[in-house]
Amino acid sequence: QVQRALLGLTIPLETLQVVKNRMLQAMGEGLSRQTHAQASVRMLPTYICSTPDGTEKGEFLVVELCQNHVRTLWVTLQGDGNQSPQVTQNIFNMPEDISQGTGEALFDFIAQCVQKFLTDISRLEDRLPLGFVFPFSCKQTQLDKAELISWSKDFSCSGVEGKDVVELLQSAINKQLKNVDVVALMNNTVGTMMTCSVEGKPCEIALVMGEQRAPRMAGWWVLGGAALELTPITPADQGTNSCFMAEASLVETIEASGRMCVSTEWGCFGDDGSLNDVVTPYDQHVDEESSKPGERRFEKLVGTLYLGEIVRHAMIALAAEKAVFAESNINILKTKGVLSTQQALEIIDEEEGMAKARSLLEGLGLRPSEHDCCRMQQICRAVMSRAAALCAAGLSAILTYMCHSRELECLAVNVGVDGDLYRGHSRFREILQSVTALLAPNCKVTFVPTSDGTGRGAAIVTAVALRLVAQRREVDQVLAPLRLSRDDLKRVQGLMRQEMDLGLGRETNPTASVRMLPTYVRNTPDGGEQGKFLALDLGGTNFRVLMVEVGADGIRMASEIYAIPTAVTQGTGEALFNHIVECIMDFQLKQDLGGQVLPLGFTFSFPCQQLGLDKAVLLTWTKGFNASDCVGKDVVQLLREAAQRKQHLGLKVVAVVNDTVGTMMSCGYEDPKCEIGLIVGTGTNACYMEEMHNVGTVEGEQGRMCINMEWGAFGDNGCLDDIFTDFDRVVDKKTINPGKQRFEKLISGMYLGEIVRHILLALVDRRLLFRGKPCTKLQTNDIFPTKFLSTIEIDGLGLRKVQAILEDLELQASFEDSTLVREVCQTVSKRAAQLCAAGLAAVVEKMRQNQGLDQLVVTVGVDGTLYKLHPCFSQHVQQTLKDLAPKCIVTFRQSEDGSGKGAALVAAVACR
């Protein structure tokens, strides 16, 4: 019979693995928005988003509601890594009727304890932040706002469930005192985690297993010359729970970023029947005798309120089978509470356990034999070992979840632990640690026992909360100038429209910041284009030649890339254009196009003044080109002269375009409503189809013409000065063209990384980032490219990966640092997208008004790495445009090869 009882209390490793997997599933259900309400493991967000960094400093008041008393503490943190806090405390025993009375009576009693404590330590005049330890399940919506879900631990005060307990406490305190602010509510498990976090070694998981006791203190504390006698400490809690730092994006019940401590409330695990295969008849009896049968099933297997009761029922069952106490009347064992968990723990002891068992049983009036005492010791060990193994299964589920959610092969983590099960019994610790290692082999766990996780931990939570509030205020001050309101964006939209009109006017064009250059492209594709066309794409050190065949069944292309040696780009214009013609001839030969004269579209991505569709005067070289005798000359004519020198007669240049126009034409072939082109990549620009009668810089009133806005220079006349921040000015100053292309410097990929870098430096200077430690590498120009923004802002990218990016820059970032870096990136890229949308809003509204429409339906052809590759940029552009131009229905179509295919289509449309 004894072996059968012991076997029933022993859980094989395979079953523990099943329990772990069920716990994982229950955790997932608790985190999911769809299944949270029905989940047995509630996974409650605590709104604690940071662990201590050791800089916490100040004086804090703590109130802890315990099983049968209220504990008040005055805690002074020194800013020394929380190594040597000064603590003064007192205990106020709670009248028995309080826990069963009204909620108002309970909170009035707590407030009276606070008032008495502050009077005794002469602190009534100070303005005090208070942390409230409330060890019951709450639905938290802020750090200082939490509704009680349900009472447990024999509390059943009326009028509290469903109410905000912080508000109830604050109201009660306000009746007594006017200088105490409740700033944080937490449970005892969270306090344990915060206490075990020390500088450089954050604790990210906490377990509470059994009674938590504050450290034994001398009978007197001296504070400011006053001697205070302290009441002996009694147990705070007898339940079990765990918490851990989860990726906030995976906590679907809230909207948050970074990380957040989640209280698992795992005591309720198994309430849905998922532990039925490990529950014994002894556990069933304990559950039936509890105040809430069928609830908190996991806690009833591992909590110290119940372990002694499980042993008692096991002994009753063995006695009924005559396996123990054959010569005794066992009626006394049928009395609930005659065997405590503490007594069962003492019986486990190797040296004195047998004597303790005999003493206990004889004290109950039984006449135990040596075998009876031995069997009782075996049952106690089996019950405690099972509790340790089940806690290990729960912890392993948390470890596995954290490892997977952070996409790590191996997780190294500190686990804060409290409770007399762990603290006082080596056998329990050994089983917890060894089973955890077996069930989570890819996790390296360091167990950190806590000292007063509820009291000191609550003070640290309060201190961290105040630190984060102060830091948040400073961060918001730094980022505020980059956060544009709708009014700001409407004003930018209006200014863009004003500059567009100035650029279109014959008299005002020379002084306009938005040049509004005519392209002489008069039509977009209509589907009637047919034939073969050549396209040239010159915009960098590589040069492309393309053959584009436009037919009824679509477009086919062949292309070849040719390098342009530096000696050519820096040599004479004659040598450069000779090289280009040689590449064209080579390409035509390879494509078997000899003898054919094909219309050619030329994408020439350098600043030009266009005088006709096939005439463009080079204004200046950029991008490392400096070929002589080209500036001020028509580049199409230079190409034709080179063809003549090379006796290449099959060259017919019909159009020269920039890449923005090519993008519009490329998308226009697929979508006839595409009448706007947009580039947002290394640089930015836009073009659109304007009514000819509005273009004062070109003769003619009929039809339309594509206008190359060159909007990158918007603001060069100072009209955007109030949008420019100090960070933008620093970036502008260090460019090769200070004061020029100012709109582009707010938007394009060439500059966003630099803006972010200067913001990060400012945050470091204010000790808001990287703990204020000097970052030498971050002071290097262009060390933070815009592609980092795209990577860091990927939705769901774990903060560990953000940390890895920063570590490549030799920046040792905490996850709070990583969260802040991500926020800076998001702020800068969002502003860029919003400004881009404000410019587009001016364009689409002008087109709508030009055509006298109540509603414009138009497509924007768009190209550029920032728009295409950044995870949020396109979404922000579209949302903002919809808000700023509600009378325009705008579709965005991404271009494929606007500079190649687009140039050929310009030629095709011209020929048509």
Side-chain angles (χ1 to χ4, degrees):
Q1 299 98 318
V2 174
Q3 289 300 319
R4 188 167 63 248
L6 293 173
L7 189 62
L9 291 164
T10 304
I11 306 177
L13 189 62
E14 295 81 4
T15 305
L16 289 172
Q17 182 70 52
V18 172
V19 171
K20 169 196 163 181
N21 292 337
R22 290 173 183 167
M23 177 72 84
L24 261 174
Q25 181 179 345
M27 289 167 59
E29 291 169 355
L31 290 169
S32 168
R33 186 180 290 107
Q34 284 75 28
T35 55
H36 171 79
Q38 296 80 36
S40 61
V41 179
R42 296 299 300 278
M43 304 297 284
L44 301 176
T46 67
Y47 291 83
I48 292 168
C49 301
S50 175
T51 52
D53 66 3
T55 64
E56 291 77 21
K57 191 174 182 179
E59 296 176 317
F60 307 93
L61 180 62
V62 173
V63 174
E64 179 186 4
L65 177 60
C66 304
Q67 194 86 24
N68 50 22
H69 64 268
V70 170
R71 185 161 71 121
T72 56
L73 302 95
W74 180 274
V75 182
T76 303
L77 300 177
Q78 313 285 350
D80 60 353
N82 303 321
Q83 296 299 299
S84 54
Q86 296 178 3
V87 182
T88 303
Q89 67 172 346
N90 207 348
I91 302 294
F92 297 89
N93 289 322
M94 192 160 49
E96 291 183 4
D97 60 339
I98 290 286
S99 64
Q100 304 294 318
T102 66
E104 184 178 7
L106 171 66
F107 287 102
D108 282 347
F109 176 75
I110 297 172
Q112 290 163 14
C113 296
V114 172
Q115 196 270 342
K116 177 72 166 60
F117 178 62
L118 293 177
T119 300
D120 289 344
I121 63 174
S122 303
R123 290 288 185 172
L124 285 172
E125 302 304 318
D126 300 320
R127 192 85 205 168
L128 302 173
L130 182 147
F132 184 26
V133 183
F134 188 72
F136 302 95
S137 294
C138 290
K139 178 185 177 183
Q140 248 176 300
T141 53
Q142 296 175 26
L143 190 56
D144 60 352
K145 188 175 180 63
E147 294 178 2
L148 175 64
I149 295 173
S150 63
W151 288 112
S152 58
K153 308 180 181 80
D154 294 327
F155 273 73
S156 59
C157 298
S158 62
V160 181
E161 290 184 352
K163 300 286 183 62
D164 180 2
V165 294
V166 174
E167 185 178 326
L168 293 174
L169 177 59
Q170 186 70 66
S171 297
I173 288 174
N174 289 345
K175 297 176 189 176
Q176 312 276 337
L177 302 160
K178 300 299 182 187
N179 63 326
V180 174
D181 299 313
V182 185
V183 300
L185 177 138
M186 71 231 70
N187 62 29
N188 48 352
T189 318
V190 174
T192 295
M193 185 184 77
M194 300 299 271
T195 308
C196 293
S197 288
V198 293
E199 184 176 358
K201 297 179 180 178
C203 177
E204 298 188 82
I205 305 175
L207 305 182
V208 171
M209 296 163 289
E211 296 176 356
Q212 289 179 287
R213 298 173 183 266
R216 295 287 178 182
M217 299 181 181
W220 298 87
W221 274 68
V222 178
L223 179 69
L228 304 175
E229 188 172 1
L230 300 181
T231 309
I233 305 300
T234 53
D237 188 17
Q238 297 179 315
T240 181
N241 195 17
S242 59
C243 67
F244 68 100
M245 296 301 291
E247 304 295 315
S249 60
L250 301 178
V251 185
E252 295 180 5
T253 53
I254 58 169
E255 293 292 334
S257 60
R259 287 190 183 150
M260 179 171 291
C261 179
V262 170
S263 176
T264 64
E265 302 296 324
W266 73 4
C268 295
F269 175 48
D271 288 4
D272 58 357
S274 56
L275 288 176
N276 286 354
D277 52 351
V278 299
V279 169
T280 67
Y282 325 128
D283 303 310
Q284 292 283 24
H285 289 307
V286 171
D287 179 51
E288 289 164 5
E289 291 179 357
S290 68
S291 60
K292 294 186 176 180
E295 297 181 21
R296 305 193 71 80
R297 299 305 300 271
F298 187 68
E299 183 167 278
K300 289 171 183 173
L301 297 175
V302 302
T304 54
L305 191 61
Y306 305 100
L307 298 184
E309 287 294 288
I310 298 171
V311 173
R312 182 175 69 86
H313 278 286
M315 298 307 293
I316 291 172
L318 290 174
E321 295 180 316
K322 306 298 183 184
V324 293
F325 310 135
E327 299 178 7
S328 302
N329 183 337
I330 66 161
N331 284 338
I332 186 66
L333 281 179
K334 296 178 181 178
T335 305
K336 183 179 178 180
V338 297
L339 177 59
S340 72
T341 297
Q342 183 57 38
Q343 290 168 323
L345 289 168
E346 291 171 355
I347 291 170
I348 291 173
D349 186 76
E350 292 284 351
E351 296 179 1
E352 300 182 9
M354 291 288 286
K356 292 282 186 182
R358 181 174 295 280
S359 173
L360 168 66
L361 294 171
E362 289 177 348
L364 294 175
L366 301 172
R367 290 180 292 170
S369 66
E370 191 75 10
H371 284 299
D372 292 338
C373 295
C374 180
R375 286 162 183 166
M376 186 172 191
Q377 188 180 54
Q378 287 177 302
I379 294 294
C380 289
R381 285 178 177 166
V383 169
M384 301 306 161
S385 297
R386 184 184 68 162
L390 286 169
C391 284
L395 173 59
S396 300
I398 292 173
L399 292 166
T400 300
Y401 177 85
M402 291 175 68
C403 195
H404 288 169
S405 64
R406 298 181 185 185
E407 299 180 15
L408 298 174
E409 292 183 5
C410 179
L411 172 71
V413 68
N414 289 348
V415 177
V417 284
D418 200 3
D420 57 355
L421 280 179
Y422 183 91
R423 192 173 48 246
H425 301 278
S426 59
R427 180 64 180 154
F428 188 95
R429 292 196 296 272
E430 290 166 5
I431 294 173
L432 175 69
Q433 294 171 11
S434 61
V435 175
T436 300
L438 289 169
L439 294 178
N442 56 340
C443 299
K444 181 181 178 182
V445 179
T446 302
F447 290 88
V448 184
T450 185
S451 173
D452 193 15
T454 53
R456 188 157 62 97
I460 293 172
V461 170
T462 307
V464 169
L466 294 175
R467 170 173 63 81
L468 292 178
V469 167
Q471 288 180 346
R472 181 75 262 163
R473 192 180 303 118
E474 280 202 72
V475 168
D476 286 342
Q477 287 175 356
V478 171
L479 297 181
L482 293 109
R483 290 173 171 154
L484 303 179
S485 67
R486 187 176 188 277
D487 288 344
D488 293 330
L489 295 171
K490 288 298 288 184
R491 188 158 46 82
V492 172
Q493 177 184 350
L495 288 169
M496 176 68 85
R497 173 60 187 272
Q498 183 178 313
E499 291 297 308
M500 289 170 68
D501 290 340
L502 292 173
L504 289 170
R506 185 185 300 275
E507 288 77 22
T508 53
N509 173 269
T511 58
S513 66
V514 181
R515 295 299 304 279
M516 305 296 284
L517 302 175
T519 66
Y520 297 87
V521 173
R522 303 291 303 272
N523 296 94
T524 55
D526 67 0
E529 294 78 21
Q530 298 267 339
K532 291 182 179 179
F533 305 90
L534 285 178
L536 310 183
D537 178 13
L538 179 63
T541 52
N542 288 329
F543 166 62
R544 279 196 309 157
V545 185
L546 303 91
M547 192 278 291
V548 180
E549 186 171 359
V550 184
D553 56 346
I555 293 177
R556 291 191 297 274
M557 293 193 299
S559 66
E560 183 110 11
I561 296 175
Y562 296 90
I564 305 180
T566 303
V568 175
T569 63
Q570 302 286 327
T572 65
E574 185 173 305
L576 172 63
F577 283 92
N578 283 349
H579 179 76
I580 292 171
V581 171
E582 288 167 3
C583 293
I584 294 170
M585 293 168 67
D586 177 75
F587 177 80
Q588 287 184 301
L589 185 63
K590 288 178 179 177
Q591 295 296 321
D592 197 23
L593 297 174
Q596 296 186 46
V597 179
L598 300 181
L600 184 147
F602 186 11
T603 297
F604 188 76
S605 299
F606 299 91
C608 288
Q609 179 184 4
Q610 200 149 351
L611 303 176
L613 185 60
D614 63 348
K615 188 169 186 177
V617 175
L618 177 64
L619 299 176
T620 181
W621 283 118
T622 57
K623 307 173 187 178
F625 278 67
N626 196 25
S628 61
D629 298 324
C630 295
V631 174
K633 295 187 177 178
D634 176 8
V635 295
V636 174
Q637 186 58 33
L638 292 175
L639 184 63
R640 287 170 175 157
E641 289 172 358
Q644 288 176 354
R645 285 194 297 273
K646 292 293 179 179
Q647 297 183 344
H648 181 56
L649 304 179
L651 199 62
K652 179 185 177 185
V653 182
V654 298
V656 59
V657 299
N658 70 14
D659 51 357
T660 317
V661 177
T663 294
M664 182 188 75
M665 298 296 277
S666 175
C667 294
Y669 183 79
E670 307 291 339
D671 182 351
K673 292 188 181 299
C674 183
E675 297 187 347
I676 302 172
L678 173 67
I679 300 287
V680 194
T682 307
T684 184
N685 193 17
C687 68
Y688 73 103
M689 297 301 293
E690 177 61 89
E691 304 300 317
M692 275 295 294
H693 61 80
N694 290 330
V695 185
T697 52
V698 175
E699 297 297 329
E701 296 286 321
Q702 300 301 312
R704 299 189 301 164
M705 179 180 288
C706 179
I707 297 296
N708 171 22
M709 294 178 67
E710 293 294 339
W711 78 1
F714 176 43
D716 287 5
N717 58 359
C719 66
L720 293 180
D721 282 358
D722 57 339
I723 298 294
F724 257 60
T725 67
D726 291 341
F727 309 113
D728 301 311
R729 293 184 186 95
V730 171
V731 171
D732 178 43
K733 235 177 242 184
K734 294 186 175 180
T735 61
I736 59 172
N737 56 345
K740 303 293 184 185
Q741 297 294 108
R742 300 194 74 190
F743 192 57
E744 183 168 88
K745 289 171 184 173
L746 298 173
I747 291 178
S748 74
M750 181 174 283
Y751 306 100
L752 298 190
E754 275 295 279
I755 296 170
V756 167
R757 185 177 70 84
H758 283 286
I759 296 171
L760 298 184
L761 287 172
L763 293 172
V764 172
D765 287 344
R766 293 191 180 209
R767 300 187 64 80
L768 299 171
L769 189 64
F770 309 134
R771 304 189 66 192
K773 293 178 181 177
C775 303
T776 305
K777 201 160 186 179
L778 196 57
Q779 294 171 0
T780 307
N781 290 341
D782 301 316
I783 199 69
F784 200 96
T786 298
K787 69 177 182 181
F788 282 1
L789 277 72
S790 297
T791 304
I792 287 171
E793 292 185 58
I794 292 173
D795 188 32
L797 181 71
L799 288 174
R800 292 280 186 193
K801 290 193 174 180
V802 178
Q803 283 179 295
I805 292 170
L806 297 174
E807 283 170 6
D808 287 343
L809 296 176
E810 300 174 9
L811 302 172
Q812 298 305 310
S814 66
F815 68 78
E816 288 93 348
D817 291 331
S818 301
T819 301
L820 182 51
V821 170
R822 177 182 280 174
E823 182 181 357
V824 171
C825 292
Q826 289 169 336
T827 302
V828 171
S829 64
K830 184 175 182 179
R831 182 189 67 158
Q834 289 176 325
L835 288 170
C836 182
L840 276 177
V843 173
V844 296
E845 272 298 305
K846 186 176 193 318
M847 293 177 72
R848 184 183 69 81
Q849 292 168 13
N850 284 347
Q851 299 173 42
L853 299 173
D854 291 332
Q855 187 178 71
L856 174 72
V857 179
V858 69
T859 297
V860 177
V862 60
D863 203 353
T865 51
L866 184 58
Y867 187 93
K868 286 184 170 180
L869 301 182
H870 189 282
C872 311
F873 193 93
S874 60
Q875 181 182 355
H876 288 318
V877 169
Q878 293 170 32
Q879 288 175 344
T880 306
L881 179 58
K882 188 175 181 180
D883 179 50
L884 297 178
K887 294 182 179 180
C888 301
I889 298 175
V890 182
T891 302
F892 287 79
R893 176 182 286 273
Q894 292 191 20
S895 168
E896 296 177 11
D897 194 14
S899 54
K901 183 171 75 171
L905 283 166
V906 171
V909 170
C911 292
R912 187 195 81 218

